[in-house]
Amino acid sequence: MRLFQLGLFVLLAYLQYLLWFGHNGVEDYTRLSKAVESHQQTNQQLSKRNKLLEADIQDLKLDLEGVEERARLELGMIKPDEVFYRVLPSKQKESK
């Protein structure tokens, strides 16, 4: 009877070891849970970025004003009959 109880105890200890430290145990579960959470956050950020890019694409496809705005801001282009004024900040005199 003692040998049977000892065998059950050893089996219980072995199963507990597998549960906590073995393959697919609690340690692996917590590590994978953190990885999944990190990937979900990354996916949310990329999804927001994709929505903004999609909106930009739709603006450029449908409206000529979007193309004109980009040409003005990014390339510094002006229309043929426009006058361009560039205002520079004034330099303050240094007092000695």
Side-chain angles (χ1 to χ4, degrees):
M1 189 66 165
R2 289 255 187 225
L3 187 60
F4 180 71
Q5 289 177 345
L6 180 64
L8 286 178
F9 180 74
V10 169
L11 180 64
L12 177 67
Y14 177 70
L15 290 175
Q16 285 294 316
Y17 173 80
L18 289 179
L19 174 68
W20 293 102
F21 304 110
H23 182 67
N24 293 333
V26 174
E27 187 175 333
D28 283 344
Y29 174 76
T30 56
R31 181 182 51 80
L32 289 174
S33 294
K34 289 178 184 178
V36 166
E37 184 178 326
S38 171
H39 287 296
Q40 285 177 342
Q41 289 176 353
T42 303
N43 286 343
Q44 287 176 353
Q45 292 171 351
L46 292 174
S47 178
K48 287 179 185 178
R49 189 179 117 214
N50 286 346
K51 287 179 183 177
L52 289 174
L53 290 174
E54 189 175 318
D56 281 347
I57 289 170
Q58 290 301 321
D59 283 345
L60 292 174
K61 281 184 179 179
L62 299 176
D63 196 13
L64 195 58
E65 289 178 10
V67 175
E68 183 179 324
E69 180 183 350
R70 284 201 175 215
R72 287 177 182 269
L73 294 175
E74 294 177 6
L75 302 175
M77 299 179 109
I78 58 172
K79 290 183 180 178
D81 294 331
E82 282 185 331
V83 178
F84 177 71
Y85 293 100
R86 185 173 187 177
V87 179
L88 298 174
S90 63
K91 295 182 181 179
Q92 295 180 358
K93 296 181 180 179
E94 296 178 18
S95 59
K96 292 184 179 180

